[in-house]
Amino acid sequence: MDLHMLTDFFEALTIFCFGLSWPISIRKSYVSRTAKGKSLFFEVFLLIGYAFGIARKIIQLTALDSSGFIFFLSFFFYVLNFIEISIDVGLYFRNTKLDKLRDEGKIK
C-alpha cells in the first residue's frame, strides 16, 4: 500500500466514522417529530463541507487522475453523508412545521 492509497484509506475511514451517526440522527428526527434541539445552521455547514469534499474528489478524478477502490470508497462516503444530512435537513423543516402546529393547538 503506497502513501497515496493510505491517505485515501484514512480519509474513507474518517468519513465513514462521521457518517455512522447520521442514520441515528435521521431516526431520532423522524420519530421525535420535533425540531427542538436541532441546529439548521450546523447541518447546513456540514452540507457545505461535504459538497467541498465531493468537489475535491471530482477534481482529483478528472484533473489529477486519481482512482482505485479506496478513492471511490471515500467518494461514496462523501455522497452518502451528503444525502443523509439532506434527509435530516428535510426532517428539520417537517418537524419545524409540526412544532408550529402544536404551538397553535392544531395537533397534539
Side-chain angles (χ1 to χ4, degrees):
M1 183 178 291
D2 68 356
L3 190 57
H4 193 264
M5 184 184 282
L6 184 64
T7 58
D8 283 342
F9 181 67
F10 285 157
E11 180 183 23
L13 286 176
T14 301
I15 301 163
F16 173 75
C17 290
F18 288 156
L20 285 177
S21 62
W22 288 111
I24 297 165
S25 181
I26 289 168
R27 183 184 182 285
K28 183 179 177 188
S29 294
Y30 182 76
V31 171
S32 73
R33 300 175 60 86
T34 183
K36 293 176 181 164
K38 290 293 239 183
S39 171
L40 180 61
F41 187 73
F42 175 75
E43 289 192 349
V44 167
F45 271 99
L46 286 172
L47 277 174
I48 292 168
Y50 281 114
F52 282 130
I54 291 167
R56 176 181 178 265
K57 287 296 182 185
I58 291 170
I59 291 168
Q60 283 182 304
L61 182 63
T62 57
L64 302 176
D65 199 31
S66 293
S67 63
F69 174 73
I70 301 297
F71 172 84
F72 288 108
L73 184 64
S74 61
F75 182 78
F76 169 77
F77 287 134
Y78 273 118
V79 173
L80 180 62
N81 289 348
F82 188 89
I83 291 168
E84 289 173 330
I85 296 168
S86 296
I87 291 168
D88 208 35
V89 167
L91 288 170
Y92 173 87
F93 286 111
R94 178 202 76 161
N95 290 345
T96 300
K97 183 178 178 180
L98 292 173
D99 287 339
K100 183 179 177 186
L101 291 172
R102 264 190 297 280
D103 290 345
E104 293 172 353
K106 294 182 180 176
I107 63 170
K108 288 187 179 186

